[in-house]
Amino acid sequence: MSRFTGRMGQAGVMPIDPWTPNYEQAPGVAGGQEKQPYIDFGTDRLSDNEKYYSSDVLAKEWDKLLSKAWIVCGHINDIPEEHCYMKVDYGRESILIIRGEGDDIRAFYNVCQHRGTRIVKDDFGKARSFTCPYHAWSFTNDGKLAHLPGRETFREEVLCRNLDLEPVRVDQWKGWIFFSLDPNVGPLDDYLGERFRASVGAYDFRNFVRVYDVRQTWTTNWKASIEAFIEGYHVSSVHSATLTPVMDDYYTQHDMYENGHGRTIFPFMEPAQSYLRSVDGKVEGINEEMKLFLKAAGVPEDDYPTKWQDVKAAVIKGKRENQAKLGFDFSGFSDDQLVDDWNMSMFPLATFNAHPEGVLFQRWWPDEEDPRKTHYSLQIYAMRGECVIPSYMPIHPDADREGKKVLQPMYLEGMGSEALGPVVMEDVAFVPQFQKGIESRGFRGANYGEQEVRNRQFYHEYYRYMNGARNA
C-alpha cells in the first residue's frame, strides 16, 4: 500500500488529493518523510515580469540576495585529500576551496593581492601553494603570502599591509560544501533549518562520490530555469514518454521548510494517472526502469513480478532482505523512501533528486551581467562501489566509483545535448520558450496552482531578500 490512502489503482477506492492544504498522511512513516505543515502563500498573480529580464533587477539580486545567502557549490569528496582544491566561479567572483587536514576546509577569493589577477585556472587540482601567473607572487594553501619577487623594491609601508588572500565564509553539511560572500552570514545549520536537515537524515551523502559532471550556459533567466525543476505539474505534458510510465506526478507530497527550502516526494514504480488514462489502464508487463530498480534491489530476474502493481513491494522486500549483500544499511529509511524520488531544493540556486544509492544535483547560477543567461551544472553523486542508480542519472565512463580520482567536468556548447540525459533534455528544450513568453507584453503574470506551491514559496523567500526583510 502506498503512503497515500487509496492509491495503487485499487478499484472502487476513492483516492485522496494530497496536494490540497490539509490532507492527513497515512500513519507509520519514517525516515524524515513526515508531512510538513501547509503554509499558505496566497493566490496573487506574480505580475512583476521584469525580474526575468531586467539588468537593474539582476544587479539588485546580486546585492540583496546572491551575495548574502549560503550557496551550495560541491562536495567534500570533490577534494578527496589534504591540499586538494576546487575553483568555483560565481558571478564576477572566483573562489578557491581547499581541503586541509581531515575534513577541514577553507576558502579564499581567487585573486592576487598585488594587482588583482586571478591565480588558479583549473577547476580541480592539488597544490601546497599557488603562484600568480602575472608577477609570480605565491601563497600557501592556507592563504598566507609566501614569496614576492623583488621584495626589496617595495617600500615598507606597502609590505606592512595584509597581503594574504582574502578569506570567504565556507562550511559543510553531510559532505555538501557551502560558501557565502557575506562575512557576517549566520550559521549554516540555522540557514538549512532543523526540519530540513532532519528530513534527509537517513541518506549517507557523506560517502557519495561524483560520477558525472556537465556544465552549460542557458539563454534563460536563472529563476525561470529553476521554476521548471521545483514543480511536477509539467511532467504529464513535457515528460510523458520518459517519466509518466514509472512516476506518479499527481499523488505527490509537497513540503515547505524554513528559509525557502522545499521537497516534493514523487512515487516511483507507480505510473502517472495521465499515463494510465492514455492506455486505458492496460499496462502490459513491466518496463525497463522497473527492471532496473528490481536489479538494484538484488531481486533475481526469474523472480521479477509480471505486473507493475507488484514492483514496488518487490523492490522494498529485495532491498530489506539483501541489504548486507548490497553493501547498504537501509534501516533508517522508510519503505517508500527505498523507491521514491525525493526532489529537494536548497534556496536559492540548487536542487537534488535523492535516492538511497545516488543523487542528481543541479544548480543554476546567474550571470554577472546578463539577466537572460544562466550557468547550469548537472552532477551525479553515487555511493562508492558498483551500486545501481536510476537510469536518469548517467555515469561517466571515466568516473572512479571509489572517488580516489577526481572527475573533471564537461563543458557543453549551446543549449541541450544528449549528455544531459533524456529527462533534462526535455526540460531544456522547453525552457527558452518560457523565457520568450514571459517577456511578452501580452503576459499578465504567473498564476500558480497548488501543485506549484513550491514556486510560490520560492518567490516568498526571494522577496524577503529583495525587500530587505531577510537581512534586517
Side-chain angles (χ1 to χ4, degrees):
M1 174 69 70
S2 170
R3 67 178 168 278
F4 299 127
T5 305
R7 184 65 182 92
M8 299 293 282
Q10 297 181 44
V13 178
M14 179 63 70
I16 60 170
D17 294 328
W19 42 264
T20 54
N22 296 308
Y23 78 88
E24 295 183 4
Q25 185 179 27
V29 298
Q33 193 170 313
E34 293 81 1
K35 178 73 179 71
Q36 300 300 306
Y38 179 79
I39 303 174
D40 190 351
F41 293 109
T43 59
D44 290 348
R45 173 188 285 145
L46 269 63
S47 57
D48 57 335
N49 300 334
E50 68 173 359
K51 66 179 179 289
Y52 295 111
Y53 54 83
S54 167
S55 296
D56 290 339
V57 172
L58 178 61
K60 185 178 179 182
E61 289 172 345
W62 276 110
D63 180 51
K64 297 286 188 179
L65 166 59
L66 302 170
S67 63
K68 301 296 184 183
W70 282 104
I71 306 298
V72 60
C73 64
H75 193 277
I76 188 67
N77 290 330
D78 294 335
I79 43 177
E81 300 175 350
E82 187 177 5
H83 309 305
C84 287
Y85 68 84
M86 62 179 171
K87 176 177 66 71
V88 176
D89 293 330
Y90 179 65
R92 60 172 50 91
E93 303 295 353
S94 184
I95 298 164
L96 292 176
I97 298 176
I98 305 155
R99 186 161 182 170
E101 185 176 355
D103 282 353
D104 176 62
I105 55 172
R106 47 190 177 264
F108 304 96
Y109 287 96
N110 180 24
V111 56
C112 180
Q113 293 299 312
H114 176 213
R115 298 268 293 276
T117 302
R118 286 192 176 177
I119 303 170
V120 174
K121 295 190 296 182
D122 295 334
D123 292 306
F124 298 95
K126 185 175 182 179
R128 292 178 178 270
S129 63
F130 305 103
T131 299
C132 176
Y134 196 1
H135 297 96
W137 282 34
S138 65
F139 302 84
T140 62
N141 66 16
D142 60 357
K144 301 298 183 183
L145 177 65
H147 175 70
L148 63 105
R151 188 182 185 92
E152 71 280 1
T153 67
F154 288 82
R155 294 171 61 171
E156 189 59 35
E157 292 88 343
V158 175
L159 296 176
C160 71
R161 297 171 185 150
N162 180 2
L163 300 176
D164 298 335
L165 299 181
E166 182 69 15
V168 176
R169 284 290 301 275
V170 66
D171 205 344
Q172 58 178 310
W173 164 75
K174 289 181 75 71
W176 301 110
I177 296 175
F178 295 72
F179 71 88
S180 177
L181 302 183
D182 182 1
N184 299 312
V185 67
L188 176 60
D189 279 356
D190 292 350
Y191 181 75
L192 292 172
E194 182 179 356
R195 291 188 295 126
F196 179 87
R197 289 185 282 113
S199 72
V200 292
Y203 294 93
D204 192 14
F205 296 141
R206 179 63 181 76
N207 285 316
F208 282 21
V209 295
R210 186 164 45 90
V211 297
Y212 200 75
D213 190 338
V214 295
R215 307 183 187 191
Q216 188 175 59
T217 297
W218 292 3
T219 54
T220 57
N221 181 265
W222 67 277
K223 299 179 295 299
S225 302
I226 289 173
E227 282 194 47
F229 292 85
I230 56 174
E231 52 91 355
Y233 186 41
H234 71 285
V235 169
S236 61
S237 53
V238 177
H239 305 299
S240 59
T242 52
L243 289 181
T244 61
V246 294
M247 187 188 84
D248 192 351
D249 61 327
Y250 189 83
Y251 291 100
T252 57
Q253 177 175 313
H254 304 293
D255 293 305
M256 291 157 284
Y257 300 96
E258 305 96 325
N259 303 323
H261 314 306
R263 171 180 69 179
T264 299
I265 301 176
F266 291 99
F268 256 41
M269 305 299 103
E270 302 181 27
Q273 296 296 295
S274 59
Y275 178 79
L276 292 174
R277 286 193 297 269
S278 72
V279 296
D280 295 325
K282 299 175 182 178
V283 179
E284 299 293 334
I286 62 175
N287 57 45
E288 292 304 312
E289 189 72 10
M290 293 177 179
K291 293 177 184 177
L292 183 70
F293 269 66
L294 290 162
K295 178 182 178 182
V299 178
E301 189 170 346
D302 290 343
D303 294 338
Y304 285 3
T306 58
K307 297 180 180 179
W308 72 262
Q309 290 92 335
D310 300 323
V311 170
K312 189 165 190 174
V315 172
I316 293 168
K317 182 174 183 289
K319 287 189 176 183
R320 296 290 186 206
E321 293 180 350
N322 299 319
Q323 61 177 349
K325 182 171 64 176
L326 296 171
F328 286 93
D329 179 7
F330 293 125
S331 60
F333 293 93
S334 69
D335 283 351
D336 287 310
Q337 211 170 3
L338 296 181
V339 182
D340 293 344
D341 185 274
W342 283 33
N343 174 272
M344 313 290 295
S345 54
M346 293 186 285
F347 184 88
L349 301 177
T351 68
F352 63 91
N353 293 71
H355 288 261
E357 302 87 353
V359 166
L360 183 147
F361 178 83
Q362 299 178 94
R363 65 180 186 234
W364 298 263
W365 284 5
D367 189 72
E368 64 268 30
E369 295 180 345
D370 188 345
R372 297 179 179 88
K373 185 182 292 185
T374 298
H375 304 288
Y376 170 74
S377 69
L378 181 153
Q379 298 169 319
I380 308 298
Y381 290 84
M383 285 290 290
R384 298 179 191 272
E386 297 302 319
C387 64
V388 179
I389 59 178
S391 66
Y392 73 84
M393 299 183 184
I395 298 175
H396 194 280
D398 294 335
D400 178 0
R401 298 294 296 271
E402 295 298 331
K404 297 178 181 178
K405 180 182 177 182
V406 176
L407 181 68
Q408 297 297 322
M410 297 184 291
Y411 288 90
L412 308 178
E413 297 292 334
M415 288 281 287
S417 172
E418 293 182 357
L420 297 174
V423 176
V424 176
M425 269 291 294
E426 291 170 340
D427 289 303
V428 174
F430 184 79
V431 168
Q433 298 180 52
F434 179 36
Q435 178 69 36
K436 291 179 180 179
I438 55 182
E439 295 194 36
S440 169
R441 65 185 66 190
F443 178 57
R444 293 190 290 273
N447 298 279
Y448 297 111
E450 289 303 306
Q451 291 183 346
E452 301 160 300
V453 67
R454 285 171 62 198
N455 295 75
R456 285 196 179 276
Q457 177 204 21
F458 174 90
Y459 283 111
H460 174 81
E461 188 69 11
Y462 170 85
Y463 290 121
R464 288 181 67 202
Y465 277 93
M466 295 296 282
N467 296 331
R470 186 65 175 80
N471 298 299

